[in-house]
Amino acid sequence: MNRPDSSLDEKGVSQNGDPGGHLTPLTHTHTAAATPKPTLLSALKKDAEVKKVFLAGKEYYSEEGKTFELRLVGKIKQQLSTDPTLRPEYPSSLGLEEFTRRATEVALGKSSRAILENRVLGVQTPGFTAAVRLGAELLKHWYNVNAAWCGPVYLSSPCDDSLASIFQAAGIQDIREYYYWDDKQRCICLEKIVEDLERAPEKSVVVLSASAHYPTGADLSPNQWSAITQLIKRRRLFPFFLLPAQAFCSGDLERDAWPVQYCTSQGLELLCAQSFSHCFGLYGSPRVQKSPYYKLKLQGEVQRIVERCLLIRAILREKLRLLGTPGRWDHLTQQGGLFSCIGLNGQQVEFLLNSRHMYLLSSGCLNVSAINGGNVDYIAQSIHLALTTSL
């Protein structure tokens, strides 16, 4: 975890690609960290070790270790490229109306009161980062119209390092952190989250992960969401939800958006940044919506991805148990989505990099899907050595 007097550690790159103590909420200012992607990619390319493994990417990787595209995506792409009747039109400044309507329905639920009362605006952006940036710009403009405001914005610790720089680029410089992941207990610490947010000034923006929290893979339970929602209402805070890997947690788009729907049902106004990448952008496609077959195929493919990640977690936990690796590893299967915070400190992560050619985030978080039948034994043995070797 990051200490109160430090900026975030440098983290992340993507395999084949993309690009963590209790915090003092009123005095700690978050500074943007430089992206280590060029450095890590360079080191990865120069590493001649056959067993080298990259676990810090954000994409989903197949069992063969390749970035993955759903079969249905490829099929529809091919259909579109050969359709002589297709006449693509330049979309409006808000994006494709049908797509944004479907996206907001997925996030808020078709029966949402806000949707029924026409109080929802959806805007399509070229990617998740752009969605967060647009939300940050909207916040800045909205508060500036009503009163002078320049923050604070509260981010979970740990979180995606790019978030701080996105808000700062929009002119919001007061970026702070709230405690989220407890390294020692290897779980979310609700008490410290509440303690930090209780001290937040009114009108503070709280950035929340609805599901598949990056990079820990640990999500709040329904009871914890209830406590956080009541705190936000009482302290008059403003929630900004992130859905960067929707459906990768449970396999169900709407189920993963439940926290957003719950907060709106409690009368909270909010912002929400969703990621409908090449996998889930199809959900808003008329071709999928009009075809029960396509919808079933899409849901089936996504469910297989989720089941594979759950199986990898169970296998890794069992291998660590059989090796006699110190500590409990139940948190591996209690987390969800593509990512997992396994509970290694910076020194142990450095050992994995230098001695075992394993590339992962400095917080000890990794991409579960990058583990496969060809490297799981090596990864388990390496984690065991990192915890049992005198460093």
Side-chain angles (χ1 to χ4, degrees):
M1 302 290 289
N2 303 310
R3 302 309 307 164
D5 57 349
S6 70
S7 62
L8 285 182
D9 293 335
E10 293 187 349
K11 307 173 188 173
V13 301
S14 144
Q15 179 169 350
N16 301 322
D18 260 334
H22 186 36
L23 306 172
T24 304
L26 296 181
T27 59
H28 175 56
T29 300
H30 194 350
T31 57
T35 302
K37 179 177 178 179
T39 302
L40 290 179
L41 280 177
S42 177
L44 184 69
K45 291 177 180 178
K46 293 177 182 178
D47 193 339
E49 173 58 48
V50 176
K51 293 184 177 181
K52 66 182 179 181
V53 57
F54 193 83
L55 302 172
K58 292 183 180 179
E59 305 92 338
Y60 173 74
Y61 300 102
S62 68
E63 182 64 20
E64 294 71 37
K66 305 295 183 180
T67 52
F68 183 77
E69 179 179 79
L70 296 177
R71 293 181 182 89
L72 183 59
V73 174
K75 185 174 182 178
I76 292 182
K77 280 182 178 179
Q78 185 177 20
Q79 289 178 352
L80 292 173
S81 67
T82 59
D83 186 349
T85 66
L86 184 65
R87 295 291 185 270
E89 297 181 2
Y90 196 82
S92 72
S93 59
L94 300 180
L96 299 173
E97 183 179 350
E98 179 69 6
F99 177 82
T100 56
R101 183 176 71 82
R102 298 288 185 184
T104 53
E105 287 179 354
V106 169
L108 302 180
K110 291 182 179 180
S111 60
S112 165
R113 182 175 178 180
I115 289 179
L116 296 176
E117 295 177 353
N118 198 29
R119 294 188 289 107
V120 177
L121 174 65
V123 181
Q124 184 180 6
T125 63
F128 178 70
T129 299
V132 178
R133 174 60 187 268
L134 184 61
E137 294 282 357
L138 179 60
L139 284 172
K140 188 68 163 59
H141 175 74
W142 175 31
Y143 278 112
N144 279 347
V145 168
N146 292 279
W149 182 86
C150 59
V153 169
Y154 281 80
L155 305 176
S156 68
S157 178
C159 70
D160 186 335
D161 279 352
S162 67
L163 290 177
S165 59
I166 293 172
F167 281 99
Q168 290 171 337
I172 303 172
Q173 300 302 316
D174 191 354
I175 312 297
R176 310 182 189 184
E177 296 176 331
Y178 63 89
Y179 196 104
Y180 188 83
W181 176 257
D182 190 316
D183 277 330
K184 293 182 178 180
Q185 300 298 321
R186 298 179 181 178
C187 65
I188 295 171
C189 185
L190 179 63
E191 290 183 2
K192 292 182 180 179
I193 295 176
V194 169
E195 184 179 336
D196 280 353
L197 296 185
E198 284 282 7
R199 298 174 181 173
E202 285 190 1
K203 297 185 180 180
S204 295
V205 174
V206 182
V207 178
L208 301 160
S209 174
S211 64
H213 178 270
Y214 178 79
T216 69
D219 295 323
L220 295 166
S221 68
N223 287 339
Q224 290 173 324
W225 273 117
S226 177
I228 295 297
T229 301
Q230 295 307 312
L231 185 156
I232 288 173
K233 290 176 65 176
R234 178 168 47 79
R235 295 286 302 130
R236 299 182 65 187
L237 308 178
F238 188 86
F240 188 146
F241 275 95
L242 304 180
L243 280 162
Q246 195 173 353
F248 273 148
C249 190
S250 69
D252 186 299
L253 284 164
E254 295 186 13
R255 180 177 174 183
D256 283 1
W258 176 85
V260 181
Q261 298 172 12
Y262 175 74
C263 282
T264 57
S265 72
Q266 300 299 303
L268 290 176
E269 302 292 334
L270 54 86
L271 280 173
C272 180
Q274 291 171 276
S275 174
F276 283 85
S277 62
H278 65 278
C279 293
F280 307 122
L282 288 177
Y283 190 89
S285 167
R287 289 176 179 259
V288 174
Q289 288 298 323
K290 294 177 182 178
S291 171
Y293 171 76
Y294 278 169
K295 291 183 73 173
L296 286 174
K297 288 286 288 184
L298 178 60
Q299 292 168 0
E301 288 195 71
V302 172
Q303 190 60 46
R304 284 192 289 275
I305 289 174
V306 171
E307 290 172 354
R308 176 175 173 263
C309 289
L310 291 174
L311 179 59
I312 291 169
R313 292 173 179 276
I315 291 174
L316 180 60
R317 181 189 65 179
E318 182 63 9
K319 288 186 177 295
L320 291 171
R321 186 189 69 82
L322 292 174
L323 288 169
T325 307
R328 291 179 58 85
W329 297 94
D330 291 342
H331 63 285
L332 290 175
T333 51
Q334 292 167 353
Q335 299 164 352
L338 296 185
F339 311 104
S340 175
C341 207
I342 58 176
L344 300 180
N345 60 37
Q347 194 174 17
Q348 292 161 343
V349 171
E350 187 175 355
F351 168 83
L352 291 176
L353 173 63
N354 296 331
S355 301
R356 303 294 290 180
H357 306 270
M358 278 177 55
Y359 297 78
L360 66 160
L361 300 182
S362 57
S363 58
C365 298
L366 52 80
N367 186 325
V368 174
S369 72
I371 304 174
N372 54 55
N375 62 26
V376 64
D377 286 321
Y378 182 76
I379 291 171
Q381 292 164 6
S382 299
I383 294 173
H384 178 78
L385 288 173
L387 287 162
T388 57
T389 302
S390 298
L391 304 179

PDB file of all heavy atoms in Angstrom, residues 326-358:
ATOM      1  N   PRO A 326       3.770 -20.199   3.063  1.00  0.00           N
ATOM      2  CA  PRO A 326       3.264 -19.530   4.269  1.00  0.00           C
ATOM      3  C   PRO A 326       2.039 -18.680   3.996  1.00  0.00           C
ATOM      4  O   PRO A 326       1.906 -18.063   2.934  1.00  0.00           O
ATOM      5  CB  PRO A 326       4.451 -18.652   4.703  1.00  0.00           C
ATOM      6  CG  PRO A 326       5.648 -19.301   4.102  1.00  0.00           C
ATOM      7  CD  PRO A 326       5.183 -19.886   2.805  1.00  0.00           C
ATOM      8  N   GLY A 327       1.121 -18.658   4.951  1.00  0.00           N
ATOM      9  CA  GLY A 327      -0.063 -17.826   4.861  1.00  0.00           C
ATOM     10  C   GLY A 327      -1.274 -18.564   4.325  1.00  0.00           C
ATOM     11  O   GLY A 327      -1.183 -19.705   3.862  1.00  0.00           O
ATOM     12  N   ARG A 328      -2.420 -17.899   4.399  1.00  0.00           N
ATOM     13  CA  ARG A 328      -3.658 -18.441   3.853  1.00  0.00           C
ATOM     14  C   ARG A 328      -3.891 -17.839   2.468  1.00  0.00           C
ATOM     15  O   ARG A 328      -3.587 -16.680   2.228  1.00  0.00           O
ATOM     16  CB  ARG A 328      -4.839 -18.110   4.775  1.00  0.00           C
ATOM     17  CG  ARG A 328      -4.797 -18.838   6.110  1.00  0.00           C
ATOM     18  CD  ARG A 328      -5.987 -18.432   6.980  1.00  0.00           C
ATOM     19  NE  ARG A 328      -7.247 -18.700   6.308  1.00  0.00           N
ATOM     20  CZ  ARG A 328      -7.871 -19.864   6.331  1.00  0.00           C
ATOM     21  NH1 ARG A 328      -7.327 -20.889   6.961  1.00  0.00           N
ATOM     22  NH2 ARG A 328      -9.026 -20.032   5.705  1.00  0.00           N
ATOM     23  N   TRP A 329      -4.455 -18.645   1.572  1.00  0.00           N
ATOM     24  CA  TRP A 329      -4.611 -18.216   0.190  1.00  0.00           C
ATOM     25  C   TRP A 329      -6.065 -18.245  -0.278  1.00  0.00           C
ATOM     26  O   TRP A 329      -6.344 -18.216  -1.481  1.00  0.00           O
ATOM     27  CB  TRP A 329      -3.725 -19.081  -0.714  1.00  0.00           C
ATOM     28  CG  TRP A 329      -2.284 -18.882  -0.365  1.00  0.00           C
ATOM     29  CD1 TRP A 329      -1.532 -19.640   0.490  1.00  0.00           C
ATOM     30  CD2 TRP A 329      -1.443 -17.805  -0.797  1.00  0.00           C
ATOM     31  NE1 TRP A 329      -0.266 -19.114   0.614  1.00  0.00           N
ATOM     32  CE2 TRP A 329      -0.175 -17.990  -0.168  1.00  0.00           C
ATOM     33  CE3 TRP A 329      -1.626 -16.720  -1.649  1.00  0.00           C
ATOM     34  CZ2 TRP A 329       0.879 -17.117  -0.367  1.00  0.00           C
ATOM     35  CZ3 TRP A 329      -0.561 -15.844  -1.852  1.00  0.00           C
ATOM     36  CH2 TRP A 329       0.674 -16.048  -1.217  1.00  0.00           C
ATOM     37  N   ASP A 330      -6.998 -18.277   0.678  1.00  0.00           N
ATOM     38  CA  ASP A 330      -8.409 -18.301   0.315  1.00  0.00           C
ATOM     39  C   ASP A 330      -8.836 -17.032  -0.427  1.00  0.00           C
ATOM     40  O   ASP A 330      -9.817 -17.049  -1.175  1.00  0.00           O
ATOM     41  CB  ASP A 330      -9.282 -18.468   1.565  1.00  0.00           C
ATOM     42  CG  ASP A 330      -9.138 -19.842   2.195  1.00  0.00           C
ATOM     43  OD1 ASP A 330      -8.652 -20.758   1.494  1.00  0.00           O
ATOM     44  OD2 ASP A 330      -9.494 -20.004   3.368  1.00  0.00           O
ATOM     45  N   HIS A 331      -8.098 -15.938  -0.214  1.00  0.00           N
ATOM     46  CA  HIS A 331      -8.470 -14.688  -0.864  1.00  0.00           C
ATOM     47  C   HIS A 331      -8.382 -14.788  -2.383  1.00  0.00           C
ATOM     48  O   HIS A 331      -9.059 -14.050  -3.097  1.00  0.00           O
ATOM     49  CB  HIS A 331      -7.590 -13.536  -0.367  1.00  0.00           C
ATOM     50  CG  HIS A 331      -6.133 -13.693  -0.678  1.00  0.00           C
ATOM     51  ND1 HIS A 331      -5.320 -14.570  -0.003  1.00  0.00           N
ATOM     52  CD2 HIS A 331      -5.343 -13.088  -1.605  1.00  0.00           C
ATOM     53  CE1 HIS A 331      -4.096 -14.500  -0.477  1.00  0.00           C
ATOM     54  NE2 HIS A 331      -4.080 -13.614  -1.457  1.00  0.00           N
ATOM     55  N   LEU A 332      -7.590 -15.720  -2.892  1.00  0.00           N
ATOM     56  CA  LEU A 332      -7.476 -15.872  -4.340  1.00  0.00           C
ATOM     57  C   LEU A 332      -8.819 -16.220  -4.969  1.00  0.00           C
ATOM     58  O   LEU A 332      -9.165 -15.718  -6.044  1.00  0.00           O
ATOM     59  CB  LEU A 332      -6.444 -16.953  -4.680  1.00  0.00           C
ATOM     60  CG  LEU A 332      -4.973 -16.615  -4.402  1.00  0.00           C
ATOM     61  CD1 LEU A 332      -4.100 -17.820  -4.678  1.00  0.00           C
ATOM     62  CD2 LEU A 332      -4.523 -15.428  -5.246  1.00  0.00           C
ATOM     63  N   THR A 333      -9.567 -17.081  -4.299  1.00  0.00           N
ATOM     64  CA  THR A 333     -10.862 -17.499  -4.835  1.00  0.00           C
ATOM     65  C   THR A 333     -12.008 -16.624  -4.333  1.00  0.00           C
ATOM     66  O   THR A 333     -13.124 -16.731  -4.844  1.00  0.00           O
ATOM     67  CB  THR A 333     -11.147 -18.970  -4.470  1.00  0.00           C
ATOM     68  OG1 THR A 333     -10.961 -19.162  -3.061  1.00  0.00           O
ATOM     69  CG2 THR A 333     -10.189 -19.891  -5.214  1.00  0.00           C
ATOM     70  N   GLN A 334     -11.741 -15.776  -3.354  1.00  0.00           N
ATOM     71  CA  GLN A 334     -12.772 -14.855  -2.872  1.00  0.00           C
ATOM     72  C   GLN A 334     -12.830 -13.593  -3.727  1.00  0.00           C
ATOM     73  O   GLN A 334     -13.832 -12.894  -3.749  1.00  0.00           O
ATOM     74  CB  GLN A 334     -12.502 -14.489  -1.405  1.00  0.00           C
ATOM     75  CG  GLN A 334     -12.692 -15.664  -0.459  1.00  0.00           C
ATOM     76  CD  GLN A 334     -12.138 -15.399   0.933  1.00  0.00           C
ATOM     77  OE1 GLN A 334     -11.484 -14.380   1.175  1.00  0.00           O
ATOM     78  NE2 GLN A 334     -12.378 -16.319   1.856  1.00  0.00           N
ATOM     79  N   GLN A 335     -11.743 -13.299  -4.433  1.00  0.00           N
ATOM     80  CA  GLN A 335     -11.721 -12.176  -5.352  1.00  0.00           C
ATOM     81  C   GLN A 335     -12.357 -12.605  -6.675  1.00  0.00           C
ATOM     82  O   GLN A 335     -12.669 -13.776  -6.875  1.00  0.00           O
ATOM     83  CB  GLN A 335     -10.268 -11.724  -5.590  1.00  0.00           C
ATOM     84  CG  GLN A 335      -9.568 -11.248  -4.326  1.00  0.00           C
ATOM     85  CD  GLN A 335      -8.056 -11.185  -4.482  1.00  0.00           C
ATOM     86  OE1 GLN A 335      -7.500 -11.629  -5.472  1.00  0.00           O
ATOM     87  NE2 GLN A 335      -7.383 -10.628  -3.480  1.00  0.00           N
ATOM     88  N   GLY A 336     -12.572 -11.644  -7.570  1.00  0.00           N
ATOM     89  CA  GLY A 336     -13.196 -11.968  -8.835  1.00  0.00           C
ATOM     90  C   GLY A 336     -12.646 -11.137  -9.971  1.00  0.00           C
ATOM     91  O   GLY A 336     -11.903 -10.181  -9.768  1.00  0.00           O
ATOM     92  N   GLY A 337     -13.035 -11.494 -11.181  1.00  0.00           N
ATOM     93  CA  GLY A 337     -12.582 -10.756 -12.349  1.00  0.00           C
ATOM     94  C   GLY A 337     -11.210 -11.189 -12.811  1.00  0.00           C
ATOM     95  O   GLY A 337     -10.708 -12.262 -12.456  1.00  0.00           O
ATOM     96  N   LEU A 338     -10.568 -10.319 -13.576  1.00  0.00           N
ATOM     97  CA  LEU A 338      -9.269 -10.652 -14.169  1.00  0.00           C
ATOM     98  C   LEU A 338      -8.105 -10.472 -13.210  1.00  0.00           C
ATOM     99  O   LEU A 338      -7.025 -11.015 -13.447  1.00  0.00           O
ATOM    100  CB  LEU A 338      -9.012  -9.755 -15.395  1.00  0.00           C
ATOM    101  CG  LEU A 338      -9.950  -9.882 -16.592  1.00  0.00           C
ATOM    102  CD1 LEU A 338      -9.454  -8.995 -17.727  1.00  0.00           C
ATOM    103  CD2 LEU A 338     -10.049 -11.324 -17.044  1.00  0.00           C
ATOM    104  N   PHE A 339      -8.293  -9.709 -12.127  1.00  0.00           N
ATOM    105  CA  PHE A 339      -7.150  -9.298 -11.317  1.00  0.00           C
ATOM    106  C   PHE A 339      -7.199  -9.849  -9.897  1.00  0.00           C
ATOM    107  O   PHE A 339      -8.265 -10.137  -9.366  1.00  0.00           O
ATOM    108  CB  PHE A 339      -7.060  -7.770 -11.292  1.00  0.00           C
ATOM    109  CG  PHE A 339      -7.149  -7.168 -12.660  1.00  0.00           C
ATOM    110  CD1 PHE A 339      -8.310  -6.556 -13.091  1.00  0.00           C
ATOM    111  CD2 PHE A 339      -6.084  -7.249 -13.542  1.00  0.00           C
ATOM    112  CE1 PHE A 339      -8.417  -6.027 -14.364  1.00  0.00           C
ATOM    113  CE2 PHE A 339      -6.175  -6.738 -14.817  1.00  0.00           C
ATOM    114  CZ  PHE A 339      -7.339  -6.119 -15.233  1.00  0.00           C
ATOM    115  N   SER A 340      -6.014  -9.962  -9.309  1.00  0.00           N
ATOM    116  CA  SER A 340      -5.912 -10.469  -7.942  1.00  0.00           C
ATOM    117  C   SER A 340      -4.739  -9.826  -7.237  1.00  0.00           C
ATOM    118  O   SER A 340      -3.650  -9.694  -7.809  1.00  0.00           O
ATOM    119  CB  SER A 340      -5.716 -11.990  -7.961  1.00  0.00           C
ATOM    120  OG  SER A 340      -5.511 -12.483  -6.651  1.00  0.00           O
ATOM    121  N   CYS A 341      -4.967  -9.401  -6.000  1.00  0.00           N
ATOM    122  CA  CYS A 341      -3.888  -8.888  -5.166  1.00  0.00           C
ATOM    123  C   CYS A 341      -3.462 -10.040  -4.266  1.00  0.00           C
ATOM    124  O   CYS A 341      -4.181 -10.414  -3.332  1.00  0.00           O
ATOM    125  CB  CYS A 341      -4.360  -7.691  -4.344  1.00  0.00           C
ATOM    126  SG  CYS A 341      -3.042  -6.548  -3.905  1.00  0.00           S
ATOM    127  N   ILE A 342      -2.328 -10.636  -4.551  1.00  0.00           N
ATOM    128  CA  ILE A 342      -1.955 -11.879  -3.871  1.00  0.00           C
ATOM    129  C   ILE A 342      -1.291 -11.661  -2.523  1.00  0.00           C
ATOM    130  O   ILE A 342      -1.168 -12.599  -1.739  1.00  0.00           O
ATOM    131  CB  ILE A 342      -1.062 -12.763  -4.765  1.00  0.00           C
ATOM    132  CG1 ILE A 342       0.213 -12.016  -5.172  1.00  0.00           C
ATOM    133  CG2 ILE A 342      -1.832 -13.210  -5.995  1.00  0.00           C
ATOM    134  CD1 ILE A 342       1.165 -12.877  -5.979  1.00  0.00           C
ATOM    135  N   GLY A 343      -0.843 -10.438  -2.227  1.00  0.00           N
ATOM    136  CA  GLY A 343      -0.333 -10.155  -0.894  1.00  0.00           C
ATOM    137  C   GLY A 343       1.174 -10.176  -0.760  1.00  0.00           C
ATOM    138  O   GLY A 343       1.697 -10.509   0.303  1.00  0.00           O
ATOM    139  N   LEU A 344       1.899  -9.820  -1.822  1.00  0.00           N
ATOM    140  CA  LEU A 344       3.358  -9.733  -1.752  1.00  0.00           C
ATOM    141  C   LEU A 344       3.782  -8.278  -1.575  1.00  0.00           C
ATOM    142  O   LEU A 344       3.151  -7.372  -2.115  1.00  0.00           O
ATOM    143  CB  LEU A 344       3.984 -10.294  -3.033  1.00  0.00           C
ATOM    144  CG  LEU A 344       3.678 -11.750  -3.369  1.00  0.00           C
ATOM    145  CD1 LEU A 344       4.383 -12.147  -4.659  1.00  0.00           C
ATOM    146  CD2 LEU A 344       4.088 -12.678  -2.236  1.00  0.00           C
ATOM    147  N   ASN A 345       4.873  -8.075  -0.828  1.00  0.00           N
ATOM    148  CA  ASN A 345       5.369  -6.714  -0.658  1.00  0.00           C
ATOM    149  C   ASN A 345       6.339  -6.355  -1.787  1.00  0.00           C
ATOM    150  O   ASN A 345       6.686  -7.186  -2.636  1.00  0.00           O
ATOM    151  CB  ASN A 345       6.028  -6.528   0.718  1.00  0.00           C
ATOM    152  CG  ASN A 345       7.221  -7.460   0.929  1.00  0.00           C
ATOM    153  OD1 ASN A 345       7.989  -7.737   0.006  1.00  0.00           O
ATOM    154  ND2 ASN A 345       7.388  -7.943   2.158  1.00  0.00           N
ATOM    155  N   GLY A 346       6.785  -5.103  -1.782  1.00  0.00           N
ATOM    156  CA  GLY A 346       7.646  -4.632  -2.854  1.00  0.00           C
ATOM    157  C   GLY A 346       8.932  -5.410  -3.000  1.00  0.00           C
ATOM    158  O   GLY A 346       9.402  -5.658  -4.120  1.00  0.00           O
ATOM    159  N   GLN A 347       9.538  -5.810  -1.875  1.00  0.00           N
ATOM    160  CA  GLN A 347      10.787  -6.569  -1.917  1.00  0.00           C
ATOM    161  C   GLN A 347      10.570  -7.942  -2.547  1.00  0.00           C
ATOM    162  O   GLN A 347      11.409  -8.427  -3.319  1.00  0.00           O
ATOM    163  CB  GLN A 347      11.336  -6.707  -0.494  1.00  0.00           C
ATOM    164  CG  GLN A 347      12.787  -7.165  -0.426  1.00  0.00           C
ATOM    165  CD  GLN A 347      13.334  -7.142   0.985  1.00  0.00           C
ATOM    166  OE1 GLN A 347      12.566  -7.094   1.949  1.00  0.00           O
ATOM    167  NE2 GLN A 347      14.648  -7.178   1.124  1.00  0.00           N
ATOM    168  N   GLN A 348       9.451  -8.554  -2.228  1.00  0.00           N
ATOM    169  CA  GLN A 348       9.149  -9.869  -2.791  1.00  0.00           C
ATOM    170  C   GLN A 348       8.840  -9.782  -4.279  1.00  0.00           C
ATOM    171  O   GLN A 348       9.229 -10.659  -5.054  1.00  0.00           O
ATOM    172  CB  GLN A 348       7.979 -10.491  -2.016  1.00  0.00           C
ATOM    173  CG  GLN A 348       8.353 -10.858  -0.589  1.00  0.00           C
ATOM    174  CD  GLN A 348       7.140 -11.034   0.317  1.00  0.00           C
ATOM    175  OE1 GLN A 348       6.035 -10.593  -0.002  1.00  0.00           O
ATOM    176  NE2 GLN A 348       7.348 -11.669   1.461  1.00  0.00           N
ATOM    177  N   VAL A 349       8.149  -8.715  -4.676  1.00  0.00           N
ATOM    178  CA  VAL A 349       7.886  -8.504  -6.102  1.00  0.00           C
ATOM    179  C   VAL A 349       9.190  -8.294  -6.860  1.00  0.00           C
ATOM    180  O   VAL A 349       9.386  -8.807  -7.971  1.00  0.00           O
ATOM    181  CB  VAL A 349       6.935  -7.308  -6.307  1.00  0.00           C
ATOM    182  CG1 VAL A 349       6.828  -6.940  -7.789  1.00  0.00           C
ATOM    183  CG2 VAL A 349       5.562  -7.617  -5.741  1.00  0.00           C
ATOM    184  N   GLU A 350      10.119  -7.557  -6.251  1.00  0.00           N
ATOM    185  CA  GLU A 350      11.418  -7.319  -6.868  1.00  0.00           C
ATOM    186  C   GLU A 350      12.192  -8.630  -7.023  1.00  0.00           C
ATOM    187  O   GLU A 350      12.871  -8.855  -8.032  1.00  0.00           O
ATOM    188  CB  GLU A 350      12.223  -6.321  -6.035  1.00  0.00           C
ATOM    189  CG  GLU A 350      13.525  -5.886  -6.690  1.00  0.00           C
ATOM    190  CD  GLU A 350      14.248  -4.815  -5.893  1.00  0.00           C
ATOM    191  OE1 GLU A 350      13.677  -4.346  -4.886  1.00  0.00           O
ATOM    192  OE2 GLU A 350      15.376  -4.453  -6.283  1.00  0.00           O
ATOM    193  N   PHE A 351      12.074  -9.507  -6.027  1.00  0.00           N
ATOM    194  CA  PHE A 351      12.709 -10.823  -6.114  1.00  0.00           C
ATOM    195  C   PHE A 351      12.155 -11.610  -7.302  1.00  0.00           C
ATOM    196  O   PHE A 351      12.900 -12.235  -8.064  1.00  0.00           O
ATOM    197  CB  PHE A 351      12.483 -11.610  -4.815  1.00  0.00           C
ATOM    198  CG  PHE A 351      12.845 -13.064  -4.909  1.00  0.00           C
ATOM    199  CD1 PHE A 351      14.161 -13.484  -4.746  1.00  0.00           C
ATOM    200  CD2 PHE A 351      11.871 -14.025  -5.164  1.00  0.00           C
ATOM    201  CE1 PHE A 351      14.507 -14.830  -4.845  1.00  0.00           C
ATOM    202  CE2 PHE A 351      12.187 -15.371  -5.259  1.00  0.00           C
ATOM    203  CZ  PHE A 351      13.512 -15.777  -5.109  1.00  0.00           C
ATOM    204  N   LEU A 352      10.840 -11.562  -7.472  1.00  0.00           N
ATOM    205  CA  LEU A 352      10.217 -12.277  -8.585  1.00  0.00           C
ATOM    206  C   LEU A 352      10.709 -11.744  -9.926  1.00  0.00           C
ATOM    207  O   LEU A 352      10.942 -12.510 -10.869  1.00  0.00           O
ATOM    208  CB  LEU A 352       8.697 -12.162  -8.505  1.00  0.00           C
ATOM    209  CG  LEU A 352       8.020 -12.908  -7.358  1.00  0.00           C
ATOM    210  CD1 LEU A 352       6.514 -12.625  -7.363  1.00  0.00           C
ATOM    211  CD2 LEU A 352       8.265 -14.412  -7.460  1.00  0.00           C
ATOM    212  N   LEU A 353      10.879 -10.445 -10.011  1.00  0.00           N
ATOM    213  CA  LEU A 353      11.344  -9.840 -11.252  1.00  0.00           C
ATOM    214  C   LEU A 353      12.796 -10.197 -11.548  1.00  0.00           C
ATOM    215  O   LEU A 353      13.127 -10.656 -12.648  1.00  0.00           O
ATOM    216  CB  LEU A 353      11.178  -8.324 -11.183  1.00  0.00           C
ATOM    217  CG  LEU A 353      11.766  -7.513 -12.346  1.00  0.00           C
ATOM    218  CD1 LEU A 353      11.059  -7.875 -13.653  1.00  0.00           C
ATOM    219  CD2 LEU A 353      11.647  -6.023 -12.077  1.00  0.00           C
ATOM    220  N   ASN A 354      13.662 -10.008 -10.564  1.00  0.00           N
ATOM    221  CA  ASN A 354      15.100 -10.174 -10.786  1.00  0.00           C
ATOM    222  C   ASN A 354      15.557 -11.628 -10.811  1.00  0.00           C
ATOM    223  O   ASN A 354      16.477 -11.977 -11.565  1.00  0.00           O
ATOM    224  CB  ASN A 354      15.884  -9.411  -9.708  1.00  0.00           C
ATOM    225  CG  ASN A 354      15.664  -7.919  -9.782  1.00  0.00           C
ATOM    226  OD1 ASN A 354      15.404  -7.369 -10.850  1.00  0.00           O
ATOM    227  ND2 ASN A 354      15.751  -7.247  -8.643  1.00  0.00           N
ATOM    228  N   SER A 355      14.908 -12.459  -9.983  1.00  0.00           N
ATOM    229  CA  SER A 355      15.363 -13.836  -9.871  1.00  0.00           C
ATOM    230  C   SER A 355      14.501 -14.844 -10.608  1.00  0.00           C
ATOM    231  O   SER A 355      14.974 -15.931 -10.956  1.00  0.00           O
ATOM    232  CB  SER A 355      15.443 -14.254  -8.382  1.00  0.00           C
ATOM    233  OG  SER A 355      16.325 -13.407  -7.669  1.00  0.00           O
ATOM    234  N   ARG A 356      13.260 -14.497 -10.857  1.00  0.00           N
ATOM    235  CA  ARG A 356      12.343 -15.464 -11.480  1.00  0.00           C
ATOM    236  C   ARG A 356      11.740 -14.943 -12.790  1.00  0.00           C
ATOM    237  O   ARG A 356      10.915 -15.625 -13.388  1.00  0.00           O
ATOM    238  CB  ARG A 356      11.212 -15.813 -10.499  1.00  0.00           C
ATOM    239  CG  ARG A 356      11.682 -16.361  -9.167  1.00  0.00           C
ATOM    240  CD  ARG A 356      12.350 -17.702  -9.310  1.00  0.00           C
ATOM    241  NE  ARG A 356      11.375 -18.748  -9.673  1.00  0.00           N
ATOM    242  CZ  ARG A 356      11.696 -20.008  -9.850  1.00  0.00           C
ATOM    243  NH1 ARG A 356      12.966 -20.399  -9.736  1.00  0.00           N
ATOM    244  NH2 ARG A 356      10.762 -20.885 -10.167  1.00  0.00           N
ATOM    245  N   HIS A 357      12.140 -13.744 -13.210  1.00  0.00           N
ATOM    246  CA  HIS A 357      11.691 -13.197 -14.495  1.00  0.00           C
ATOM    247  C   HIS A 357      10.169 -13.098 -14.581  1.00  0.00           C
ATOM    248  O   HIS A 357       9.587 -13.326 -15.632  1.00  0.00           O
ATOM    249  CB  HIS A 357      12.243 -14.036 -15.647  1.00  0.00           C
ATOM    250  CG  HIS A 357      13.726 -14.201 -15.601  1.00  0.00           C
ATOM    251  ND1 HIS A 357      14.595 -13.326 -16.220  1.00  0.00           N
ATOM    252  CD2 HIS A 357      14.497 -15.139 -14.980  1.00  0.00           C
ATOM    253  CE1 HIS A 357      15.842 -13.714 -15.996  1.00  0.00           C
ATOM    254  NE2 HIS A 357      15.814 -14.807 -15.246  1.00  0.00           N
ATOM    255  N   MET A 358       9.541 -12.749 -13.459  1.00  0.00           N
ATOM    256  CA  MET A 358       8.096 -12.557 -13.397  1.00  0.00           C
ATOM    257  C   MET A 358       7.783 -11.068 -13.285  1.00  0.00           C
ATOM    258  O   MET A 358       8.265 -10.394 -12.385  1.00  0.00           O
ATOM    259  CB  MET A 358       7.489 -13.309 -12.199  1.00  0.00           C
ATOM    260  CG  MET A 358       7.255 -14.778 -12.462  1.00  0.00           C
ATOM    261  SD  MET A 358       6.617 -15.634 -10.995  1.00  0.00           S
ATOM    262  CE  MET A 358       5.172 -14.645 -10.615  1.00  0.00           C
TER     263      MET A 358
END
